[in-house]
Amino acid sequence: MSTPKRDTAAEQLSEFAKNHEESEDTITTTWGVPLPEKDASLTVGYHGPILLQDYNLIDELAHFTRERIPERVVHAKGAGAFGYFEVTHDITRYTAAKVFSEVNKKTPIAVRFSQVAGELGYPDTIRDIRGFAIKFYTEDGIWDLVGNNAPIFFIKDCALFPSFIHVVKRNPVTHMRPDYDMFWDMVTLRPETTHTCLMFFSDRGIPANYRQMHGYGTNTFAFVNAHGEFFYCKFHYRSEQGIATLPPKDAQRIAGEDPDFHTRDLYNAIEKGNYPSWKFYVQIMTPEQAANNSYDPFDDTKVWLKADFPLIPVGRFVLNKNPKNYFAEIEQIGFDPAHLIPGIEPSPDRMLQGRLFAYGDTHRYRLGVNHLQLPVNSPFKANNFSRDGKGTLNNSAGAPNYHPNSFNGPKIDSRAKALSPVIPLKGDAKRIDSGDDDNFTQARLLYQRVMKEDERVRMVENMVTWLKPTTTILQERAIVMFSNVDDDLGRRLRAGLDTIQQINL
């Protein structure tokens, strides 16, 4: 019998041993004191009680019980790597952001891929939207571009976000997921989910790996150029490895055989020198075009049609370095859409507006108020007036901790001030439910013009698989909703469900 071939990830410890053959490191306590014995506790005789003065044992046990920090409520399971972003095309007419300031300029980046719904330990190959977040370590500070592998999302208002995440998480009573009744109940009550549902149940709902999927900023952002001119923008990153997906049966098999399939694939590819890369594009829309557009450009359930707003090439990014320690560099990495550098601004996108608060608050809860001082999250330089708090690594020495001051503390950046746009606002402050704002036109384009017939067949099969465990009422609501996309789609769903019912009889 042949010996199974070890993958690259399995060689990690052997590689460490080889690189440390001459090492004379000795074991120390966490405070650096050499340990005389590591594998035995300090007892009174062989069977005597352990002494409280075994300070290293107490320290190690106390640290061990605190090894796990709260997992992310969303995007808990993921993998990441490091690399660089390189500008290949000049877009300074649109933005003065230094990351794009000149062709051939390189900026260090970190990227984290993730599931949206699954918790830590969940199989990588379950049907889900995948997170695709990029951290740019620029000379102007951290820019976090937090997106997904889909250009759209299920909902358009952050007020609905906690509820939507609840329906793709575990049922609070049965503790099982997915709960098909919860999912279809909310989805069919909010037809704005239609467009993303088609994408979710298409082949792209289960990527073959992280390297072979596209990424998108998903939200609408804004650019400001050196002349103070303002543009709205969308971000796209297209895999240079091409797109690949998994059939549901293969995905289910792999979930049982190798729950970390995507994580392993990314690690091994980079270790072997097969560095994954993506081409980086933007779409641009002027404020005048936004005001007169036929659909809401700030609606996350809609794409900007490329025929009207073509992809403009900007650069490419490459991942060429694996983390040295997963917990320190990937589990503790924190992405925040509010981390925008001069030349890049928010838009009225309701989902983005909510994320500007929620992400940073999540990291303050998970990682602590000083999470931006952790090396993986830290900018090249930071001069501010925040002090103290749990996990302080840098307290700015004797610099003034207040502003204004007379003692040469940090001053206002004139460039950043000049790039801060003046945005005129008008309207009454009231709650406006935008859920019925043309939920089917773009979904119809996707179904009728973009999807091929074999893709439509597989998408319907995937929908039926998720619909068949639900109640008849929810099945009927789904058929009505998707019939608004195309009567053919509604008929196919009904036929698929009727076939299952006949088999069960």
Side-chain angles (χ1 to χ4, degrees):
M1 179 181 293
S2 61
T3 303
K5 185 178 179 181
R6 287 165 61 84
D7 65 25
T8 305
E11 301 294 338
Q12 182 266 129
L13 288 175
S14 298
E15 187 70 21
F16 178 87
K18 183 173 67 175
N19 293 336
H20 292 76
E21 288 179 350
E22 307 300 324
S23 173
E24 297 182 0
D25 292 344
T26 58
I27 301 174
T28 73
T29 64
T30 56
W31 53 98
V33 176
L35 269 180
E37 176 59 60
K38 176 66 183 71
D39 299 325
S41 53
L42 182 62
T43 61
V44 180
Y46 189 87
H47 291 120
I50 296 173
L51 295 179
L52 185 62
Q53 73 184 54
D54 191 343
Y55 49 85
N56 187 69
L57 174 67
I58 300 301
D59 180 71
E60 189 166 349
L61 290 176
H63 186 282
F64 174 73
T65 60
R66 294 164 173 82
E67 273 187 4
R68 298 294 178 264
I69 60 176
E71 69 174 43
R72 295 167 171 88
V73 176
V74 192
H75 299 279
K77 176 72 182 292
F82 300 86
Y84 64 88
F85 168 74
E86 182 176 13
V87 178
T88 57
H89 293 74
D90 184 1
I91 62 165
T92 55
R93 61 173 294 194
Y94 301 117
T95 177
K98 284 188 177 180
V99 68
F100 305 122
S101 61
E102 57 185 287
V103 173
N104 299 324
K105 181 173 185 174
K106 290 186 178 181
T107 299
I109 63 169
V111 171
R112 184 175 184 267
F113 307 96
S114 58
Q115 289 190 6
V116 169
E119 60 266 10
L120 276 173
Y122 214 73
D124 284 348
T125 55
I126 297 299
R127 183 174 299 279
D128 199 353
I129 298 291
R130 264 64 180 184
F132 197 139
I134 312 173
K135 184 181 293 291
F136 297 80
Y137 300 92
T138 85
E139 65 265 53
D140 259 350
I142 296 295
W143 173 33
D144 287 334
L145 182 52
V146 189
N148 293 321
N149 72 328
I152 52 176
F153 196 60
F154 290 92
I155 53 176
K156 59 182 75 176
D157 194 314
C158 60
L160 287 161
F161 189 70
S163 288
F164 178 75
I165 295 302
H166 284 168
V167 305
V168 296
K169 289 285 191 178
R170 295 182 179 275
N171 181 291
V173 174
T174 66
H175 198 58
M176 289 187 277
R177 124 169 239 282
D179 186 294
Y180 299 104
D181 285 343
M182 293 198 315
F183 175 82
W184 286 111
D185 186 31
M186 183 176 182
V187 162
T188 56
L189 289 171
R190 299 294 303 192
E192 69 202 73
T193 61
T194 304
H195 193 189
T196 307
C197 274
L198 296 190
M199 211 167 279
F200 179 74
F201 287 107
S202 74
D203 294 342
R204 292 197 185 186
I206 311 178
N209 53 68
Y210 291 135
R211 297 175 297 111
Q212 291 180 286
M213 68 182 193
H214 294 333
Y216 307 85
T218 305
N219 295 124
T220 299
F221 292 87
F223 277 158
V224 183
N225 68 16
H227 306 291
E229 295 173 316
F230 193 82
F231 305 87
Y232 293 114
C233 63
K234 289 272 196 183
F235 296 102
H236 298 248
Y237 5 117
R238 302 181 71 83
S239 171
E240 293 194 288
Q241 293 72 237
I243 291 290
T245 60
L246 289 173
K249 288 184 178 179
D250 289 347
Q252 188 172 20
R253 172 182 56 79
I254 293 170
E257 295 175 354
D258 186 359
D260 300 320
F261 183 73
H262 289 164
T263 305
R264 189 183 314 281
D265 173 87
L266 180 67
Y267 185 96
N268 286 342
I270 293 174
E271 284 299 296
K272 292 174 181 176
N274 299 326
Y275 302 138
S277 59
W278 288 258
K279 288 186 177 179
F280 192 91
Y281 300 85
V282 294
Q283 287 177 291
I284 297 293
M285 185 184 295
T286 67
E288 293 75 22
Q289 288 173 318
N292 297 304
N293 205 50
S294 60
Y295 52 86
D296 182 0
F298 311 115
D299 178 348
D300 282 4
T301 70
K302 295 178 176 62
V303 298
W304 289 7
L305 301 179
K306 293 173 188 173
D308 301 321
F309 306 100
L311 295 183
I312 299 171
V314 180
R316 68 190 293 263
F317 61 89
V318 178
L319 298 181
N320 58 9
K321 178 185 173 186
N322 278 316
K324 294 181 180 178
N325 180 277
Y326 181 90
F327 180 85
E329 298 179 283
I330 305 302
E331 188 63 20
Q332 289 195 133
I333 198 170
F335 296 89
D336 186 346
H339 293 164
L340 301 169
I341 58 177
I344 306 174
E345 295 287 332
S347 80
D349 180 331
R350 290 194 190 186
M351 283 297 294
L352 175 60
Q353 291 284 319
R355 296 173 88 203
L356 294 176
F357 163 75
Y359 278 62
D361 196 50
T362 293
H363 304 318
R364 285 186 286 272
Y365 165 67
R366 290 186 65 244
L367 303 172
V369 70
N370 286 306
H371 63 277
L372 291 175
Q373 295 185 24
L374 294 171
V376 73
N377 296 321
S378 180
F380 291 138
K381 61 179 179 180
N383 298 311
N384 55 63
F385 301 95
S386 296
R387 296 292 187 276
D388 305 337
K390 186 176 180 179
T392 297
L393 301 176
N394 175 17
N395 226 20
S396 300
N401 66 344
Y402 58 94
H403 187 274
N405 63 81
S406 305
F407 299 97
N408 297 323
K411 299 173 177 60
I412 294 295
D413 187 304
S414 58
R415 175 176 171 272
K417 186 174 183 179
L419 292 176
S420 298
V422 176
I423 303 174
L425 301 175
K426 63 179 181 179
D428 300 325
K430 59 181 180 180
R431 302 181 191 277
I432 304 172
D433 188 338
S434 60
D436 292 327
D437 185 10
D438 188 7
N439 296 314
F440 304 111
T441 298
Q442 289 200 358
R444 191 171 299 119
L445 288 173
L446 177 61
Y447 183 76
Q448 294 178 346
R449 299 188 187 180
V450 178
M451 286 186 172
K452 298 177 182 178
E453 173 58 19
D454 60 321
E455 293 176 306
R456 288 193 284 263
V457 169
R458 290 191 295 272
M459 184 193 70
V460 169
E461 290 175 352
N462 296 332
M463 283 184 171
V464 169
T465 298
W466 275 50
L467 276 167
K468 67 182 180 183
T470 65
T471 67
T472 303
I473 293 174
L474 296 181
Q475 291 175 356
E476 287 298 321
R477 281 211 320 239
I479 290 170
V480 170
M481 185 173 83
F482 289 110
S483 293
N484 288 320
V485 175
D486 191 298
D487 288 338
D488 172 70
L489 177 54
R491 283 193 295 269
R492 292 187 187 204
L493 287 174
R494 185 177 298 280
L497 290 168
D498 287 346
T499 299
I500 289 173
Q501 290 169 1
Q502 291 171 6
I503 291 173
N504 291 338
L505 291 174

